[in-house]
Amino acid sequence: MIHHIIVKWNDKVDKQDLSQKVKELFANAVNVSGVNKVEIKDNVTPRDNRYDIMIAIHMNSDALCTWDNSELHKKWKAEYGNMIEKKCIFDCE
């Protein structure tokens, strides 16, 4: 399964700085049981109707609960949640 987190940052943040910090945070995601790979892509079209960053977490289908309860996921939500204007979560094969 691929668990996508697609984020639009709010207007008060430095998007480039946040992108680097998110990449550093998620570099350790493969240490979460069942997570196999992480891809992070920045948006290349700077328009108001675009999201800013996409995090694609490749994981075993049964690893979503483990991911949700991981310290990394909790840190992501606690440290970055207030900087997010909108987000979309999408899971696929």
Side-chain angles (χ1 to χ4, degrees):
M1 175 177 85
I2 307 170
H3 176 70
H4 293 85
I5 307 167
I6 306 168
V7 171
K8 181 171 184 68
W9 300 117
N10 67 41
D11 291 337
K12 300 172 187 164
V13 302
D14 180 335
K15 294 176 183 182
Q16 290 180 336
D17 182 55
L18 277 180
S19 176
Q20 186 58 40
K21 289 178 179 176
V22 167
K23 289 172 182 172
E24 290 169 9
L25 175 66
F26 279 84
N28 295 316
V30 294
N31 295 329
V32 175
S33 180
V35 173
N36 304 309
K37 177 178 153 183
V38 176
E39 296 176 279
I40 299 176
K41 303 287 185 177
D42 293 306
N43 176 43
V44 297
T45 309
R47 294 185 179 175
D48 288 341
N49 66 343
R50 300 294 196 267
Y51 282 68
D52 298 303
I53 193 168
M54 181 187 71
I55 305 160
I57 306 168
H58 298 251
M59 64 176 69
N60 301 340
S61 296
D62 59 353
L64 190 56
C65 286
T66 303
W67 168 254
D68 285 343
N69 293 311
S70 71
E71 291 304 313
L72 193 153
H73 184 251
K74 291 175 186 176
K75 183 174 182 172
W76 157 250
K77 292 182 78 143
E79 292 185 13
Y80 296 89
N82 65 336
M83 294 179 257
I84 295 172
E85 179 182 324
K86 301 189 260 188
K87 74 177 174 180
C88 174
I89 306 299
F90 181 81
D91 299 326
C92 64
E93 289 297 325

